[in-house]
Amino acid sequence: MASRKRSSFDSFPTGEPPRRSNTPRRRDGSDRRQQPVARSYSRAAYGDTGNRAPSSSYSRQSTQAEYSRIRAKKRRRKIIGGVVGALLAVLLVGGGAALAYMGVLNGKLGAGVDDETRAVLSDKSLSEPFYMLIMGTDKSAAREQSGETDDTYRSDSMMLARIDPVQKKVTLVSIERDTLVDIEGYGVNKINAAYTFGGPALAVKTVSKFAGVPISHYAEINFDGFKAVVDALGGVEVDVPITIDDDLAGGHVDAGLQTLNGDQALILCRSRHAYDDYGSGDYYRAANQRMVLGAIAKKLLETDPATMANTVTSLCDYVTTDMKVSDIASVAMSMCGMDTSTDIYSTMNPTTSSYEDGGWYEYSNNEAWAAMMKRIDQGLSPTPDESDSQNNGGVTDGTISGEYIAQSVLYGEESSLSDNGSGEQVEVRNGSGTSGAAASASSSLTNRGYDITTTGDADSYDYSKTLVIYDKGTDASVAQSIANVLGVGTPTVNDGSYTYDGAYLVIIGKDYKAKS
């Protein structure tokens, strides 16, 4: 699989597409024009050379089987309960001095949470299921002292958590930071730009609208805080999927089951480029972040009261949240007794990746996203098979594969879907010039079982009609089925003018109407 290395710190080797930029960029959906390129749809057209996989150059599924063999299943252990109540006693029962100390801690936690942020949060009892937005930023003491960021920081990770104290279950949903959404007042942009544009308030409002659920609480943690929390717990046990050697993430971590300190846990949660041979590093990194959060929860719930108190103190120094110390302790106590190996679901919003106008974009697969959020809001696992949503890190069961999620969620609820693609490989190109047209078509095909190998621009934007191209000898009925799913498209035998990955090439024309 061709890797999609995306970083604001470096660039692709000569001849390859530039890596994604995290800089906010307006996309108003108007027609775009660019100089035509050679009519070639092979990976060679993008200078894709080296040791990459020979096919499905941008597919997220092609290496899942290989990666699954590397990844070991996490061991299931029941959580020992009862210590959270002791922590409450430590914090709450101590007279005026303890109350004064709690006031100091609450002041630290709430510093930076303005009235605007509190106003957009939904009022919900902590004894009922609620949603919380958890954001990791690239803020740290070193960066603040250096002045390199000019006091402007990015949301390096974004996670929507559903916490259910009744069923003692937690669902962690990573939001792909490059997902294009409509940000109020700024138009269509990458979702992580909401934090840059309007801070926590706009981030909460944007994610809430995108997910279709009310968000009751918000928490932001920076790099220093992440390390401090892990160290306060004496480290966390994590089964690292592969050996990490990533200077941009901070260094080296061995593969295998081990106890990580704060620095090592941060490397695991920041690394993307260690996964270049497997696919999109953003997806693997997000899975590792959820896995480490699960390990923190496990360790926190089974530790002694003194360590818990120390951890809460560390949280107050590095975490910004609307919640008070008593709120955090109350939630922790209500979750006491949960089995973190089975009661934490893990997933990521399904998207379609597209290389357009010299940059990478993630378009939401809205049909699959809506189906997934419907399941999550009902307290179910994100996918029909609970084992596919276990918080075990990596892409061992398709957990964070947009293609897998789309199919398993939709087929799990609509088993009678017609035009089942049965894994037929299809390359989709935008020949209309309308932003997101190829991605929308790819999502529709993915949801019907087709394997999308590549999504991007065609050689020009002058196609008035959508074409479904196939080689002589290939099943023409499949080409017709593809056209049926799209609602447009003329099956056309390849006369040798087109080269492409997979068995079929779709060139989206101006007659295609994108699904919202």
Side-chain angles (χ1 to χ4, degrees):
M1 174 186 294
S3 61
R4 298 179 299 152
K5 308 175 184 178
R6 298 171 289 179
S7 171
S8 60
F9 301 108
D10 47 18
S11 58
F12 266 75
T14 302
E16 294 188 357
R19 295 189 177 103
R20 295 185 178 186
S21 169
N22 294 317
T23 303
R25 177 179 178 181
R26 294 182 181 273
R27 293 181 63 81
D28 58 9
S30 59
D31 287 354
R32 297 173 285 110
R33 295 293 186 269
Q34 69 177 25
Q35 293 298 318
V37 297
R39 177 174 284 180
S40 173
Y41 300 92
S42 65
R43 287 176 294 127
Y46 291 100
D48 189 6
T49 59
N51 299 321
R52 296 180 175 86
S55 64
S56 293
S57 58
Y58 297 102
S59 170
R60 297 178 200 151
Q61 284 182 303
S62 62
T63 56
Q64 284 180 7
E66 177 186 356
Y67 187 82
S68 296
R69 289 191 292 269
I70 296 176
R71 183 78 173 93
K73 291 292 184 183
K74 293 182 69 67
R75 294 175 293 175
R76 299 185 178 184
R77 300 176 180 174
K78 292 294 181 181
I79 301 301
I80 302 173
V83 293
V84 180
L87 173 62
L88 280 174
V90 170
L91 291 177
L92 301 179
V93 182
L99 292 175
Y101 181 58
M102 279 190 61
V104 172
L105 296 182
N106 287 335
K108 290 182 178 181
L109 285 173
V113 181
D114 55 23
D115 291 340
E116 185 179 4
T117 301
R118 296 183 188 277
V120 300
L121 294 172
S122 173
D123 187 16
K124 189 101 175 195
S125 170
L126 293 175
S127 63
E128 303 174 31
F130 64 90
Y131 288 92
M132 181 175 190
L133 179 61
I134 304 171
M135 299 188 69
T137 67
D138 58 3
K139 185 187 299 182
S140 67
R143 287 194 164 201
E144 287 183 299
Q145 292 172 3
S146 69
E148 62 185 56
T149 63
D150 194 27
D151 291 329
T152 299
Y153 303 98
R154 298 174 301 176
S155 55
D156 199 57
S157 61
M158 183 179 290
M159 198 177 298
L160 180 65
R162 182 182 187 271
I163 300 173
D164 186 347
V166 179
Q167 300 297 324
K168 298 185 185 298
K169 290 185 179 292
V170 173
T171 302
L172 301 175
V173 185
S174 294
I175 306 295
E176 221 291 344
R177 62 180 184 168
D178 291 338
T179 303
L180 290 176
V181 297
D182 187 7
I183 300 177
E184 184 178 301
Y186 296 90
V188 177
N189 219 301
K190 295 180 180 181
I191 196 167
N192 71 331
Y195 181 87
T196 303
F197 290 145
L202 187 56
V204 169
K205 187 181 297 185
T206 302
V207 174
S208 178
K209 179 181 178 182
F210 174 59
V213 295
I215 295 176
S216 302
H217 297 286
Y218 167 83
E220 177 185 324
I221 185 169
N222 62 37
F223 287 168
D224 289 342
F226 188 87
K227 293 190 296 183
V229 169
V230 173
D231 286 334
L233 285 168
V236 293
E237 187 178 70
V238 173
D239 194 353
V240 180
I242 64 172
T243 298
I244 304 294
D245 276 308
D246 190 344
D247 290 338
L248 290 176
H252 176 96
V253 177
D254 291 327
L257 186 66
Q258 59 196 287
T259 299
L260 302 182
N261 61 29
D263 285 322
Q264 293 170 319
L266 183 58
I267 291 171
L268 178 61
C269 290
R270 292 187 65 190
S271 178
R272 291 181 295 133
H273 296 302
Y275 295 91
D276 286 344
D277 290 337
Y278 296 96
S280 170
D282 279 340
Y283 292 90
Y284 290 87
R285 177 174 69 171
N288 287 337
Q289 289 170 352
R290 298 192 301 273
M291 180 175 62
V292 171
L293 277 183
I296 290 174
K298 178 180 185 297
K299 189 70 174 286
L300 183 64
L301 289 175
E302 66 183 5
T303 194
D304 61 271
T307 302
M308 276 191 172
N310 187 33
T311 304
V312 171
T313 302
S314 296
L315 281 170
C316 295
D317 286 331
Y318 300 104
V319 172
T320 298
T321 180
D322 67 293
M323 299 180 75
K324 298 180 179 179
V325 173
S326 57
D327 294 333
I328 297 173
S330 175
V331 172
M333 185 168 64
S334 69
M335 303 304 289
C336 192
M338 73 180 295
D339 183 347
T340 55
S341 66
T342 59
D343 295 337
I344 298 181
Y345 296 134
S346 175
T347 192
M348 192 165 194
N349 67 308
T351 62
T352 297
S353 304
S354 184
Y355 183 73
E356 303 174 12
D357 268 358
W360 283 102
Y361 297 93
E362 293 288 341
Y363 289 88
S364 175
N365 185 333
N366 288 330
E367 188 178 11
W369 176 232
M372 178 192 294
M373 285 306 304
K374 179 180 178 181
R375 292 184 58 84
I376 292 172
D377 202 41
Q378 293 173 341
L380 304 173
S381 65
T383 51
D385 186 343
E386 288 192 12
S387 64
D388 296 330
S389 297
Q390 289 182 350
N391 191 33
N392 51 15
V395 189
T396 57
D397 299 305
T399 304
I400 58 172
S401 164
E403 289 88 345
Y404 184 91
I405 287 173
Q407 294 173 41
S408 66
V409 170
L410 291 172
Y411 287 137
E413 298 191 357
E414 302 177 38
S415 58
S416 62
L417 285 175
S418 60
D419 294 312
N420 187 336
S422 300
E424 292 285 356
Q425 293 188 333
V426 182
E427 182 172 327
V428 182
R429 293 293 181 182
N430 185 352
S432 70
T434 300
S435 297
S440 174
S442 295
S443 293
S444 295
L445 293 170
T446 292
N447 294 341
R448 297 303 181 269
Y450 294 92
D451 177 12
I452 307 303
T453 62
T454 309
T455 303
D457 287 333
D459 59 319
S460 77
Y461 294 143
D462 296 329
Y463 289 85
S464 59
K465 300 292 184 181
T466 298
L467 302 178
V468 182
I469 300 164
Y470 63 98
D471 291 329
K472 186 176 182 180
T474 305
D475 191 348
S477 66
V478 175
Q480 185 58 58
S481 294
I482 292 172
N484 292 343
V485 172
L486 299 178
V488 293
T490 303
T492 305
V493 177
N494 187 8
D495 61 1
S497 300
Y498 305 94
T499 58
Y500 44 90
D501 288 336
Y504 302 88
L505 168 66
V506 174
I507 301 179
I508 300 299
K510 299 182 188 300
D511 58 344
Y512 174 74
K513 303 300 182 185
K515 293 183 178 181
S516 58

